[in-house]
Every structure is written in C-alpha cells, then in structure tokens.
Amino acid sequence: MPDVQLRAALAAAAVLVIGSVPTTSATASYDPKAAVTFTQLAAAAYCDPPYLWGWNGTDHTAALPSFKIEAVLDDAVSNTQAYVGYLQADNAVVAAYRGTITSNFANWLEDLETWRTRTDFPSCEGCAVHKGFFKDYAGLAQAVQSSLRQSLAAHPGAKTWITGHSLGAALAALLAADWVGLGNNVDAVYTMGEPRVGNDAFANFIKAAYPSTPGTPSYFRLVHNKDIVPHLPVYAFGFHHTPTEVWYNEDCTEYVVCDGSGEDPTCSDSLKLPHSVTDHLEYLGIIMGSGTC
C-alpha cells in the first residue's frame, strides 16, 4: 500500500504550487485549489467499497478528513461504480464515478464502442452521446440520483459537486446534463481525462447549463499534457468536447483555461500526436487508479 502520509504531503504541496499559477482567462471561475480536491475525490472512486465505507485505509483520508461516504453504488452488468458523499469542509454533496478498470474486458469494450445514441435527457434537444457511455450511465442513473436526493435532503443548503476520471469523467458529464435537465442545481463539475462524450448539441447544452463564470455553475475538464484519452473518440466521428478545457503541462506547474468552444485549437487539440497513457494515469500529482487504495 502506498505511504498515506507521503501522498497527503504531495497533495498539499500540489495545492500550494498549482494555486500560484495564473490563469489566462479573465472571466473563468476555475479554482486550481478546488481542482486538487476534486481530483482526490475522483481518484477515491477507484477504491473498492470496503475502503470507501468509513473512509478508512485510503490515501485520500488524510487529504480530505472531513469527507463522509453516504452511498456506494454498483452495476454488476457493466461493472460500473459510483459513490455519493458529503464533504463538510466545503459543505458539498459529491457524486463521483469510477474510471476504467484496465483488467476488466467489459469496461474496455464499452470504451471502444463509438456509435452514438439519442438521450432522453429533459431539455437536451438533439443530443446524441457515446452508446457505451450512455449504457453504463443508465445502469446506475436511478440509484445515483436517488442517493443524491437523500444526501441533499440530509444537508440543507449544501452545494452539489460532480466528478470522475476517464470513463468516470464521461459518466459524470452525463449526470451533469441529466441532473440539470431534471430541474436540479449543480454548482461545480470537474473532470479529469474526459473522452469526447457526445455531439455538438450535447456540448452546447453543457455550455449553456454551466457558463463557468464567477457566480455561475462551472464545468471544467482537466487535460494533463499529452493524455491520449481526451482525443477519443475522434472529432471526425461527430463527437464534440464539453467546455471548458483546462490544459496542464507535464509537471502540472502551469495551466491554460481554454476558450468556451470545447475544441480550442490552441489547447490540447494543438497536439499532432497525443499518445500518453502515463499522463492519463496521473493528474495534479495524484495517481488515478485502484493502486491508490
């Protein structure tokens, strides 16, 4: 098991370093310190239920001591997992989805399906999304939404946060669209290594629902340097990224808050051959995967 104190120290150092990096956007509400918290929460989603319940024995406990798990949800058919919990320090109810488990063939098959399917999300007219992602989302949708309602009722006035990494980021994007389409509020969505999830209509729906300016709901999609996953499925297949991208350099000491198009040609789309799996498996100095549990 990795050393808990060492990882907590590294995460704390990341807050100090990343928090000192200036953003290039004068209007975006991107918070680099919050991004570290979201990344810890997304990484924790890889932990098995015994580690999540009680929030004991994980690398994330020391970094987020005021967090409490309130529901762990699993769909046996797709091997998809999510949790809902409450972060007292930020008065936020959090929904987080686990990313791809590389040893599970079913997850990889879902990742490789690139056909699109129409959604039944309220108000998301013309939206079509990745078929495999939507199937995984639908398998847990009712359970996650029910748990969210229960946690929000138990914590009146709490913010709503959504996060995930890799496949988990795609599922977080779908929840972000579905939840607001049902008339609910989401305060912030931060994802890491998110693949392209849907078409232009879906990206525009996210953009309208999450203006990401001060005082409005925010949606930030972190990309670590040459991470290959955000470049899949390819744009030519009719997929369009959700805004707003935040592109980090290799050692996460600098970042750019990109334009609101979702496909800013000056950010990660500028790379000719993005190919790094290593960059996909680490965000803001935090290892993403079950090895952190």
Side-chain angles (χ1 to χ4, degrees):
M1 180 182 295
D3 186 270
V4 174
Q5 293 181 333
L6 175 59
R7 289 201 176 277
L10 289 173
V15 173
L16 295 174
V17 173
I18 296 168
S20 68
V21 179
T23 177
T24 60
S25 172
T27 58
S29 58
Y30 181 67
D31 183 344
K33 293 183 179 180
V36 175
T37 298
F38 274 92
T39 305
Q40 287 279 8
L41 291 164
Y46 283 94
C47 298
D48 291 335
Y51 288 101
L52 288 172
W53 283 115
W55 199 247
N56 295 322
T58 74
D59 290 337
H60 317 288
T61 307
L64 301 170
S66 73
F67 188 69
K68 178 185 177 183
I69 293 289
E70 299 190 332
V72 179
L73 310 154
D74 178 74
D75 178 43
V77 175
S78 62
N79 195 28
T80 305
Q81 178 177 288
Y83 72 73
V84 174
Y86 177 65
L87 184 59
Q88 183 178 14
D90 291 279
N91 190 27
V93 169
V94 181
Y97 286 91
R98 184 178 66 190
T100 303
I101 301 298
T102 56
S103 62
N104 184 270
F105 188 62
N107 279 96
W108 280 111
L109 287 178
E110 295 299 336
D111 286 352
L112 293 173
E113 288 186 36
T114 57
W115 301 283
R116 289 174 295 155
T117 187
R118 295 287 179 181
T119 76
D120 56 0
F121 296 164
S123 307
C124 199
E125 185 176 351
C127 289
V129 299
H130 183 285
K131 183 179 179 181
F133 299 160
F134 187 73
K135 184 167 65 174
D136 282 354
Y137 172 75
L140 275 183
Q142 286 189 329
V144 170
Q145 291 181 18
S146 177
S147 296
L148 263 178
R149 292 188 183 95
Q150 291 176 26
S151 291
L152 288 167
H155 307 286
K159 298 185 285 289
T160 303
W161 287 2
I162 299 173
T163 191
H165 166 258
S166 192
L167 171 62
L171 304 183
L174 293 171
L175 177 62
D178 197 9
W179 192 244
V180 298
L182 291 168
N184 303 294
N185 295 322
V186 176
D187 295 277
V189 182
Y190 280 59
T191 68
M192 305 87 214
E194 181 184 324
R196 292 187 177 95
V197 176
N199 62 356
D200 288 354
F202 181 78
N204 288 333
F205 181 81
I206 291 291
K207 183 177 181 178
Y210 299 90
S212 301
T213 55
T216 69
S218 58
Y219 190 119
F220 292 107
R221 181 173 55 80
L222 279 63
V223 177
H224 180 200
N225 199 38
K226 297 181 180 180
D227 181 350
I228 189 173
V229 172
H231 300 273
L232 302 170
V234 298
Y235 183 79
F237 287 173
F239 290 85
H240 191 115
H241 256 310
T242 56
T244 297
E245 178 185 355
V246 181
W247 189 29
Y248 276 84
N249 67 344
E250 176 62 32
D251 57 5
C252 294
T253 56
E254 298 179 2
Y255 65 85
V256 176
V257 179
C258 309
D259 68 21
S261 69
E263 300 286 353
D264 188 337
T266 68
C267 285
S268 64
D269 275 0
S270 66
L271 298 175
K272 300 301 182 184
L273 293 172
H275 61 276
S276 178
V277 175
T278 301
D279 286 350
H280 182 64
L281 298 178
E282 181 175 330
Y283 269 76
L284 307 187
I286 298 165
I287 302 300
M288 310 303 285
S290 55
T292 64
C293 300

